[in-house]
Amino acid sequence: MEFESGDRPVIVRRVKKVQHGHHGGAWKVAFADFATAMMAFFLVLWLMEAATIEEKAAISGYFSDPTAFTEGGSPYVIDLGGGLKDDQYSGDSNVETPDTKIQDKGIVLTEDTVQDLAAQIESRKFQDLKKTLETRIEQDPSLRKYKDQIIMDVTKDGLQIQIVDAKSRPMFDSGSDEIKPYMDDILNALAGTISSVPNGLSITGHTDAEAFTDRRDYSNWELSADRANAARRALQKNGVSEQQLAQVVGLSSSMLYDKDDPKNPINRRISILVMSERSEAKLKQQQSGKALPMGDEFPVLPDSGNDTAEPDVEEEFEAFERLRKTMTRKQRDDAARTQPPPPRDELF
């Protein structure tokens, strides 16, 4: 068919509309989950910032051992004062309470018992540390010949390690604070072990009663302090951290090892004390100028030398933990019983 000039064909396109299916809302669910997770994350950050050190320790302990919190009378991370009272256990005679567990072990619930257990556990840790050091010295041929100059004792203040002079092997030259090479080897061996414990260290320098006459303005007081600092530098060089050092002092000849012979070379020594918690607390109180609390010293467990006769430390520690938690719950319940009820007007 021919079109006249100037005419153009008209093309009509018909679009067929097809209804598409629903695209779905999965992305909305994912976004909602993400927003919820972010809200929970920032809530945790806020709670951790507001929590005290004790509350953080309780939360950490709960995730380490959740079952331990049920033994203390409350199954919650932070005890808000709940839990069963002593008279609520009496309904069933077959129920084993924390009190009966401790009584079966023959432990009396007193403050002295708690302190005794804590002191014995800490004393055994120092005994183990002493044996570790003795084994290391014995197994090292270069240190074995110096073992007579290394005196270690577990005292009420901690593990005391004394490196003493010998006539043929002094730690320092006369009137000098320069460490001899074998003294440096001894300090290196000690540092590798004592740096692995969290206890604080007290380093003390001692001299004999021989007067220092080379300099008028330099006495045994300065010499003992300089030698203590020389030992400190050697320990730090071999792994002891700055935070572990509690004090470094020089005592001249004021505390002789051999009081009968003040000029005995054994009086020239470096004493390194791995401090117990009690002695470290006392030192901090002294340094802060606060008055020391009155009370008996912690007993020190004697070294029997028989490893097979020692009781299980972990069992005693678990008993101590149950004892501590039970006493806390009982004290709280007793306080609740003795506290008078609030006036009726305050209830509304």
Side-chain angles (χ1 to χ4, degrees):
M1 179 179 180
E2 296 183 0
F3 296 94
E4 296 180 0
S5 60
D7 293 337
R8 299 179 63 183
V10 178
I11 300 174
V12 179
R13 294 183 178 179
R14 300 184 183 277
V15 179
K16 186 177 181 180
K17 296 183 179 180
V18 180
Q19 187 175 4
H20 296 282
H22 184 62
H23 291 286
W27 68 272
K28 299 178 183 178
V29 177
F31 181 77
D33 291 341
F34 172 75
T36 304
M38 291 300 295
M39 181 184 67
F41 174 70
F42 285 109
L43 182 61
V44 169
L45 291 180
W46 175 73
L47 289 174
M48 294 302 294
E49 180 66 23
T52 63
I53 297 177
E54 292 78 8
E55 291 172 342
K56 291 179 182 178
I59 294 172
S60 176
Y62 175 80
F63 284 104
S64 299
D65 185 13
T67 59
F69 285 80
T70 60
E71 296 180 359
S74 174
Y76 303 106
V77 179
I78 301 175
D79 195 354
L80 300 178
L84 297 176
K85 297 183 179 180
D86 295 337
D87 53 0
Q88 291 177 275
Y89 286 113
S90 58
D92 187 0
S93 59
N94 296 325
V95 177
E96 187 180 30
T97 68
D99 292 333
T100 57
K101 288 182 180 179
I102 297 173
Q103 290 173 0
D104 291 342
K105 292 181 177 293
I107 301 176
V108 182
L109 298 179
T110 63
E111 187 67 23
D112 292 338
T113 304
V114 176
Q115 293 183 355
D116 290 346
L117 279 173
Q120 291 177 16
I121 292 171
E122 189 175 39
S123 181
R124 286 198 178 92
K125 291 181 180 179
F126 286 131
Q127 294 286 359
D128 293 339
L129 180 61
K130 176 185 175 183
K131 292 177 182 178
T132 301
L133 290 171
E134 290 174 342
T135 302
R136 181 168 185 176
I137 293 172
E138 189 66 31
Q139 292 178 349
D140 192 338
S142 61
L143 297 176
R144 192 182 307 147
K145 55 186 176 182
Y146 307 129
K147 66 179 182 179
D148 293 337
Q149 292 181 245
I150 305 173
I151 304 172
M152 289 184 282
D153 298 292
V154 177
T155 69
K156 61 182 177 60
D157 294 323
L159 175 61
Q160 188 175 46
I161 307 168
Q162 299 192 86
I163 310 170
V164 301
D165 258 8
K167 289 184 178 180
S168 58
R169 274 197 304 265
M171 297 178 293
F172 304 88
D173 288 330
S174 178
S176 171
D177 62 347
E178 186 175 351
I179 293 178
K180 292 283 190 179
Y182 47 82
M183 172 66 171
D184 191 63
D185 293 339
I186 295 174
L187 293 174
N188 182 19
L190 295 177
T193 302
I194 62 179
S195 62
S196 62
V197 298
N199 304 70
L201 301 179
S202 174
I203 305 173
T204 308
H206 301 269
T207 65
D208 57 16
E210 186 73 32
F212 190 84
T213 58
D214 291 352
R215 289 169 50 184
R216 295 180 58 184
D217 59 344
Y218 195 84
S219 65
N220 282 336
W221 289 101
E222 287 81 9
L223 180 61
S224 60
D226 289 342
R227 288 179 173 178
N229 272 295
R232 171 191 59 80
R233 288 190 293 269
L235 290 173
Q236 286 188 276
K237 181 182 66 175
N238 292 290
V240 174
S241 65
E242 181 76 22
Q243 292 74 21
Q244 196 173 1
L245 297 171
Q247 71 171 357
V248 181
V249 295
L251 295 182
S252 184
S253 58
S254 61
M255 296 182 64
L256 296 172
Y257 191 88
D258 184 3
K259 296 181 180 180
D260 296 332
D261 187 3
K263 296 184 179 181
N264 190 334
I266 200 173
N267 292 316
R268 301 191 296 267
R269 65 196 189 278
I270 294 294
S271 176
I272 303 171
L273 177 65
V274 184
M275 306 176 71
S276 64
E277 291 185 6
R278 183 179 179 88
S279 62
E280 195 169 355
K282 288 172 61 177
L283 177 62
K284 289 181 179 179
Q285 285 184 322
Q286 290 175 347
Q287 292 174 341
S288 63
K290 296 180 180 179
L292 295 177
M294 301 298 292
D296 297 333
E297 297 288 344
F298 279 174
V300 178
L301 183 69
D303 187 6
S304 61
N306 186 5
D307 296 339
T308 58
E310 292 184 358
D312 189 357
V313 177
E314 293 183 359
E315 182 179 353
E316 287 195 0
F317 184 76
E318 292 175 359
F320 166 70
E321 284 296 308
R322 289 195 296 269
L323 172 63
R324 179 180 61 80
K325 294 174 183 177
T326 304
M327 290 184 66
T328 303
R329 176 176 57 80
K330 291 182 66 178
Q331 291 172 355
R332 183 178 62 249
D333 292 344
D334 291 342
R337 295 191 191 100
T338 57
Q339 185 177 5
R344 180 176 297 273
D345 296 339
E346 296 182 4
L347 298 177
F348 302 98

